[in-house]
Amino acid sequence: MKHTHFLAAITAALLSLTMYAKTATTAISVVPYPQSVEIQKGTFKIKGTPVNCDPAMDELSRDAVAKFAVQLSKVTGRTCSFASPVGITKTIASGSSKGFLFYVDPSLAEEEYTVNVTKKAVLVAASSRAGFLHSIQTLKQMLPEAIYGSKAAADIKWTLPCVAIKDKPRFAYRGTHLDCSRHFFSIEEVKKYLDIMAVYKQNRFHWHLTDDQGWRIEIKKYPALTQVGAYRDGTMIAKDWDSNDGIRYGGYYTQDQIREIIAYAYQLGITVIPEIDLPGHMLGVLAAYPQYGCTGGPYKVWSRWGISDDVLCVGKEETMLFLEDVLAEVAELFPSEYIHIGGDECPKVQWKTCETCQAKIRELGLKDDEHGTAEQHLQNYVTQRMQAFLATKGKKIIGWDEVLEGKLGDGATIMAWRGVKHGLKAIDLGFDVIMTPNTYCYIDYYQSKDRDNEPLAIGGNLPWQKVYSFDPCEGVPADKQSHILGPQCNLWTEYIGTDEHLEYMLLPRMIALSEVQWCDLDKKDIDRFETSLKSHQYKILDIMGYNYRKDK
Ligand code: ACM
Ligand code: ZN
């Protein structure tokens, strides 16, 4: 008996030790979880604590820290004064620092940062604005959720746990996409989308601005694109393909509004990558300028979903010049080094019978061969021509993985959406890849098998747990992994007509993806992540005013 008791006591002791070890290593609830976390004893108390930064920091980084100080003051109800005094690094070296101190450490990599919280001070170092922005997001996640609010919460204990963090992302490209063609979202909602991306350290916003169901970007040289192409006569109802609700629907972003979004994203550390989807998915253009089609129309902005056979007539030189004009304005507007030129789902039926397209095929000497059909090579001619044109504007292209059909010009980046295998093929051919396989990254899919209890969706079943399980480098030889720029989740909006529904589809799946994007494989831990979601992240979403899907 005694012996059994002894064993039970040992087991209990071991169990509590393991549990202690688990709590000790997960005592911060930050997502995406930092690469290195050493929890120490004690806490740092915030009570009208000064926030200082190194004058060597660039102005925008200092602005970001100043904004953090303002927010801290607001929520703690005590003034946390911001200053940028000369000689701050000497204080750090002497070990006599107090309060928050942000400083430049040039030895850290781009995006890397360190946070060292002791009972006396919070030392934060980075070498770039991205690193400082990440450090602020990490600090905010270590604070009570009220830091995300707009009200003073003076009765809360405002403390940070003593901890040493050293952190940097696994992937440089950490994207989320939004389709604003199938449904149009206001500037305010797009900003809200960017806000939550920034919380989870994402840095690329892929903005799908044109499609068969509406052209959403003002192009000065072609006003009918938005006067005509931005509006449809109605929208199909649910999945009844021949129905139409008869309600005129549309909208577009002016170039000023687009500049506003780009600037807003920039201060959050996010680059906006626009997509002009060509040469298919172009009914928005054809409704406005039927002369750029093979059949001459008449065309209408589509009120139904799917893939239209009506595509651009790329045999006509005037169509090419039109595309170049549009891309010239796009390149001028967006500072991003990448412009996405689509290339997906372009049926070739009309090109096969169009005399102009066939004449172009003959002129270019295009033939069916082992790389593809003559018509696929014709699409490839468009891709290469747009790539060369954008290169004259200092831009590189991203294309959906269909652009790999036919021979592709060097330097293009492939967005693999029809499965990882297309990404692997692109890597084999020497191209850079952004991994967005629909099986893990299409967050327009259902979030449960129980469809009756979910809002109508396009299909599939992609719970956050499956998103979390994605490894973009699986099956990629180590020496080729540098070709994977990073993963991205895509949110197509055929069945998503409201802000609430949009957020429900985004969250928490985008949060799960953020750990795929950020964490080294050995730092991912689905149990730790789930605990953080339920105990902390959902509260952040509540305070910030997002709708999201809770596990039922
Ligand atoms: C796509 O989902 N058609 C890229
Ligand atoms: Zn044609």
Side-chain angles (χ1 to χ4, degrees), residues 113-380:
Y113 69 92
T114 60
V115 171
N116 282 290
V117 183
T118 64
K119 288 180 192 168
K120 273 180 12 196
V122 179
L123 300 183
V124 181
S127 66
S128 70
R129 187 169 76 96
F132 286 113
L133 291 176
H134 299 328
S135 72
I136 292 168
Q137 296 298 356
T138 295
L139 285 171
K140 286 174 79 173
Q141 285 212 25
M142 288 200 291
L143 287 166
E145 293 89 10
I147 185 70
Y148 294 92
S150 53
K151 288 198 287 269
D155 47 333
I156 291 182
K157 264 198 194 157
W158 285 96
T159 60
L160 281 167
C162 291
V163 66
I165 293 174
K166 197 163 165 53
D167 198 15
K168 65 176 181 205
R170 180 179 182 203
F171 294 104
Y173 183 111
R174 302 181 301 280
T176 287
H177 149 290
L178 175 61
D179 169 10
C180 287
S181 171
R182 274 52 176 268
H183 281 99
F184 179 72
F185 295 92
S186 67
I187 287 291
E188 289 68 36
E189 185 61 14
V190 174
K191 286 183 181 172
K192 198 175 169 199
Y193 204 82
L194 292 164
D195 287 338
I196 201 65
M197 285 177 62
V199 170
Y200 296 100
K201 301 189 174 83
Q202 295 195 321
N203 61 0
R204 298 290 187 280
F205 174 53
H206 171 174
W207 203 2
H208 187 79
L209 284 164
T210 69
D211 218 302
D212 292 316
Q213 294 79 7
W215 181 279
R216 308 273 175 240
I217 169 173
E218 178 190 26
I219 299 293
K220 302 274 188 202
K221 193 162 176 184
Y222 297 93
L225 283 175
T226 41
Q227 286 161 1
V228 176
Y231 298 92
R232 58 182 184 246
D233 284 345
T235 304
M236 65 179 262
I237 302 161
K239 296 207 174 170
D240 179 357
W241 291 86
D242 297 320
S243 67
N244 185 328
D245 64 12
I247 304 166
R248 183 173 151 85
Y249 183 91
Y252 66 92
Y253 308 104
T254 65
Q255 293 200 354
D256 279 345
Q257 288 175 319
I258 284 174
R259 273 188 281 270
E260 187 183 323
I261 288 293
I262 293 168
Y264 189 87
Y266 182 74
Q267 53 90 27
L268 294 171
I270 298 171
T271 302
V272 183
I273 301 177
E275 180 187 350
I276 305 297
D277 199 350
L278 62 91
H281 288 284
M282 271 282 170
L283 273 169
V285 169
L286 294 173
Y289 299 98
Q291 65 270 34
Y292 301 135
C294 290
T295 65
Y299 303 104
K300 284 177 103 174
V301 180
W302 238 13
S303 55
R304 70 204 302 269
W305 320 127
I307 303 172
S308 170
D309 284 343
D310 288 320
V311 300
L312 293 184
C313 180
V314 297
K316 288 180 190 159
E317 182 60 14
E318 60 188 291
T319 309
M320 292 292 123
L321 297 177
F322 161 78
L323 288 177
E324 290 180 356
D325 285 343
V326 168
L327 290 178
E329 287 195 35
V330 170
E332 179 73 30
L333 201 50
F334 289 86
S336 162
E337 69 167 325
Y338 291 106
I339 305 289
H340 198 308
I341 60 165
D344 60 322
E345 301 173 326
C346 178
K348 315 277 189 296
V349 277
Q350 293 182 353
W351 292 357
K352 270 194 188 304
T353 54
C354 168
E355 199 27 62
T356 319
C357 285
Q358 288 302 315
K360 193 73 190 176
I361 283 174
R362 285 192 297 277
E363 179 196 319
L364 295 169
L366 305 177
K367 303 236 161 21
D368 294 355
D369 62 18
E370 75 276 17
H371 297 297
T373 63
E375 285 74 23
Q376 281 171 334
H377 291 304
L378 186 63
Q379 175 166 351
N380 192 238

Side-chain angles (χ1 to χ4, degrees), residues 385-424:
R385 187 152 162 190
M386 294 308 127
Q387 182 178 14
F389 177 76
L390 282 167
T392 68
K393 310 281 174 198
K395 305 290 188 189
K396 298 200 251 180
I397 60 159
I398 299 175
W400 296 112
D401 57 50
E402 286 93 331
V403 300
L404 280 172
E405 293 161 6
K407 220 164 164 299
L408 188 61
D410 288 345
T413 294
I414 306 304
M415 195 165 263
W417 73 278
R418 292 176 300 171
V420 169
K421 67 171 192 274
H422 292 280
L424 299 181

Side-chain angles (χ1 to χ4, degrees), residues 311-528:
V311 300
L312 293 184
C313 180
V314 297
K316 288 180 190 159
E317 182 60 14
E318 60 188 291
T319 309
M320 292 292 123
L321 297 177
F322 161 78
L323 288 177
E324 290 180 356
D325 285 343
V326 168
L327 290 178
E329 287 195 35
V330 170
E332 179 73 30
L333 201 50
F334 289 86
S336 162
E337 69 167 325
Y338 291 106
I339 305 289
H340 198 308
I341 60 165
D344 60 322
E345 301 173 326
C346 178
K348 315 277 189 296
V349 277
Q350 293 182 353
W351 292 357
K352 270 194 188 304
T353 54
C354 168
E355 199 27 62
T356 319
C357 285
Q358 288 302 315
K360 193 73 190 176
I361 283 174
R362 285 192 297 277
E363 179 196 319
L364 295 169
L366 305 177
K367 303 236 161 21
D368 294 355
D369 62 18
E370 75 276 17
H371 297 297
T373 63
E375 285 74 23
Q376 281 171 334
H377 291 304
L378 186 63
Q379 175 166 351
N380 192 238
Y381 147 77
V382 184
T383 308
Q384 294 218 30
R385 187 152 162 190
M386 294 308 127
Q387 182 178 14
F389 177 76
L390 282 167
T392 68
K393 310 281 174 198
K395 305 290 188 189
K396 298 200 251 180
I397 60 159
I398 299 175
W400 296 112
D401 57 50
E402 286 93 331
V403 300
L404 280 172
E405 293 161 6
K407 220 164 164 299
L408 188 61
D410 288 345
T413 294
I414 306 304
M415 195 165 263
W417 73 278
R418 292 176 300 171
V420 169
K421 67 171 192 274
H422 292 280
L424 299 181
K425 180 178 164 198
I427 289 165
D428 255 358
L429 293 168
F431 296 108
D432 285 346
V433 170
I434 296 157
M435 284 289 196
T436 70
N438 49 10
T439 42
Y440 292 99
C441 297
Y442 268 42
I443 57 172
D444 57 337
Y445 286 10
Y446 282 100
Q447 308 195 53
S448 152
K449 279 191 205 142
D450 180 14
R451 292 186 176 183
D452 292 345
N453 286 308
E454 292 294 323
L456 185 70
I458 199 150
N461 176 29
L462 182 59
W464 68 258
Q465 290 86 347
K466 181 152 188 210
V467 177
Y468 194 87
S469 73
F470 181 44
D471 174 14
C473 288
E474 196 180 331
V476 183
D479 62 331
K480 299 219 165 122
Q481 291 186 0
S482 61
H483 276 303
I484 298 191
L485 304 184
Q488 169 177 294
C489 51
N490 293 343
L491 190 37
W492 302 101
T493 58
E494 282 92 339
Y495 298 98
I496 303 171
T498 66
D499 297 349
E500 292 70 28
H501 189 180
L502 185 75
E503 293 168 14
Y504 180 91
M505 300 306 270
L506 182 72
L507 302 166
R509 290 184 288 189
M510 177 273 268
I511 306 179
L513 189 79
S514 78
E515 292 223 339
V516 176
Q517 295 171 321
W518 186 276
C519 301
D520 287 349
L521 284 181
D522 62 342
K523 297 300 174 313
K524 279 174 69 188
D525 174 342
I526 197 162
D527 296 333
R528 186 255 311 139

